[in-house]
Amino acid sequence: MTIDRQTVAKVAHLARIKVAEDRLDSLAMELDEIVAWVEQLGEVDTDGVRPMASATDMVAAWRDDVITDGGYADRVVANAPDPQGDFYTVPKVVE
Amino acid sequence: MSNLIKGKTGEWEVVIGMEIHAQVTSNAKLFSGAPTTFGAEPNSQVSLVDAAMPGMLPVVNAEAVRQAVRTGLALNSKVNKHSVFARKNYFYADLPQGYQISQYEEPIIGEGEIEIDLEDGTTRTVGIERLHLEQDAGKLIHDQLPEKTLVDLNRAGTPLMEIVSRPDIRSAEEASAYVAKMRSILRYIGSCDGNMQEGSMRADINVSVRKPGGPLGTRAEVKNVNSLRFIRQAVEVEARRQIKLIESGSEIVQETRLFDPNKGETRSMRSKEDAHDYRYFPDPDLLPIEFDDAFIADCKATLPELPDAKKHRFMETYGLSAYDAGVLVAERETAEFFETAAKACGDAKLASNWVTVELFARLKEAGQTLADSKVGAEGLGGLLALIKDGSISGKIAKDVLDEMFETGKGASEIVEAKGLKQISDTGALEGVVDKLIADNPGQVEAYRGGKTGLIGWFVGQVMKETKGQANPAMVNQLLKAKLDG
């Protein structure tokens, strides 16, 4: 087994996903199976093939450096739980 | 000069690497069409892309790519024709996406090097490891509400260049010189305005200490230092803290620290244990950035003469010292001002002195920059030309410059209006000198009896009599001839 319960707990914490203690073992097993399945890709000979950042053989389109957006703070915070004026608010974050 | 720091157990060497974040000069953000201007109303410069609303897709700003390439070329660095944006994953209230779009394994710019200028006139080479493009985060305001932190995303998504040096820097002075040179280069080519107060350029400093020649020590990172003076102080205090710690038998913890200029100390930022587990991966929303040699050549064609090249040209063409040339080229505007003034008066050394000493002193006192100055380069050149042709003395010229500085009038105009033109007419001066000698037999006798220092008194009297307008060289010559003869 390559993925153990500690790894699951750590990844869940990094992703801010709450996982109950009694789910860790079963999740570890499931994830292990998924990773093992993906690892079949290792059987393909990729010598001399450059690592891909995208599945399509395309490069990025660029936008011109012109202002075409913004100016609607009300829309930006429209769905925020507790906006103050045009600010979002979050529970106090102290460094 | 030795850069070693003395501790209780002998000497220590400081090893420094820098990460500079420089905001790219652009109208719009890195991946959206929202503006980047500083100081706007909260969340007024935010697109739905910057706010990370579901379904929004980033599209890269061509100007950010172009400026990164120009900067890479100016840093003598390798330009990568293929680069990839990656997600750096972490959660913080100023980062709406839950990840920062950055570059990781394949940055747009690779290795290079720059030359830094030290105070003793020598230079050193510092290696550049990479430059990559990334998004800035939003701003958090903690002091407005007791229980809440306010979030303003205006800065979120602003294009940054992160420029990483090699650990080649060896002292506080070199660290500050490195940032000064970087700022100068960025401002010359216009890829960043270099404004450290407004945060458009900020430095993270990686500091470690070791016994000379020994293995590298554990480093601590001092975050977001925003002035050259603070960079020096931060390096000094952090190096001393580490030396003291090691010498008392403790170990350095690899961590992020904050420099507090008021207390003159660095202190640990309460960082989470997982802070550095960013789980980078290529951003699936963005395709690789690619361009060809012609694009690089176009970028190169837009580069001006860079500070180092200009410095060497000033030394060779005008015979300036390394120090003076360094001061003049630090800002492109100053260098251009100097060259125009030098051409206008035909004396580069005179122009160099008057720009770096007289004009700079007046600007500093008035809290102005060269751009605000009422004295233009042609104007200063005109003043210096009057010194050159003997019309006014250097001393009078200082008064004339004061008035030019206040009113913006031309030098000749002021000299004419106030009748300041120097008396270089031998006949007129001779009369004054003769009268002086006739009126002061005692002093003349004392001078002739060996108190030759009295010549200064005689010169002073002539200057007084002529209201400072006599040509001092001519007065000296006349007096010597009459008194000694």
Side-chain angles (χ1 to χ4, degrees), chain B residues 25-242:
Chain B
T25 311
S26 68
N27 300 316
K29 291 186 176 176
L30 183 53
F31 296 116
S32 85
T36 55
T37 13
F38 182 77
E41 291 297 306
N43 289 316
S44 64
Q45 308 201 138
V46 179
S47 82
L48 299 179
V49 177
D50 308 317
M53 294 296 172
M56 296 297 115
L57 283 174
V59 181
V60 73
N61 183 337
E63 183 64 6
V65 175
R66 198 178 78 88
Q67 293 293 12
V69 171
R70 293 178 75 243
T71 307
L73 292 168
L75 301 179
N76 311 301
S77 298
K78 181 172 179 286
V79 177
N80 294 324
K81 287 186 273 187
H82 171 98
S83 69
V84 174
F85 282 110
R87 292 186 180 180
K88 177 179 179 176
N89 299 280
Y90 66 95
F91 289 100
Y92 208 64
D94 62 8
L95 188 73
Q97 290 160 159
Y99 55 84
Q100 179 193 32
I101 305 178
S102 180
Q103 296 188 298
Y104 188 54
E105 286 176 327
E106 300 185 77
I108 188 163
I109 302 295
E111 289 187 14
E113 60 182 40
I114 63 169
E115 223 176 58
I116 61 171
D117 303 300
L118 302 177
E119 277 156 19
D120 61 5
T122 59
T123 59
R124 269 206 66 204
T125 300
V126 175
I128 304 292
E129 190 168 303
R130 59 187 281 152
L131 175 156
H132 65 251
L133 281 169
E134 64 182 29
Q135 303 174 293
D136 206 345
K139 194 171 82 181
L140 300 181
I141 302 160
H142 303 293
D143 55 3
Q144 297 292 309
L145 294 173
E147 315 256 299
K148 295 275 189 173
T149 291
L150 303 179
V151 185
D152 175 10
L153 297 181
N154 279 348
R155 207 179 57 191
T158 296
L160 299 179
M161 297 180 283
E162 178 173 329
I163 306 166
V164 184
S165 85
R166 296 218 150 252
D168 290 346
I169 300 163
R170 288 290 176 273
S171 70
E173 188 205 336
E174 288 183 12
S176 144
Y178 171 78
V179 177
K181 178 48 89 52
M182 190 63 76
R183 182 172 179 275
S184 178
I185 293 172
L186 297 180
R187 284 173 55 83
Y188 260 67
I189 68 171
S191 66
C192 169
D193 68 19
N195 189 329
M196 297 185 82
Q197 282 87 43
E198 285 181 4
S200 46
M201 190 176 151
R202 37 192 204 264
D204 300 341
I205 319 167
N206 287 297
V207 181
S208 66
V209 297
R210 66 174 173 188
K211 290 285 182 176
L216 285 173
T218 306
R219 67 188 155 89
E221 182 180 14
V222 186
K223 275 274 186 202
N224 273 344
V225 190
N226 67 355
S227 82
L228 295 182
R229 192 159 60 92
F230 290 165
I231 286 166
R232 282 181 100 118
Q233 290 173 1
V235 171
E236 295 275 355
V237 298
E238 179 56 19
R240 285 183 196 283
R241 182 190 72 89
Q242 293 186 12

Side-chain angles (χ1 to χ4, degrees), chain B residues 351-373:
Chain B
S352 161
N353 281 335
W354 278 74
V355 171
T356 59
V357 182
E358 298 301 332
L359 185 60
F360 276 13
R362 283 164 179 79
L363 288 171
K364 195 174 172 192
E365 203 183 303
Q368 293 180 353
T369 67
L370 209 51
D372 312 320
S373 173

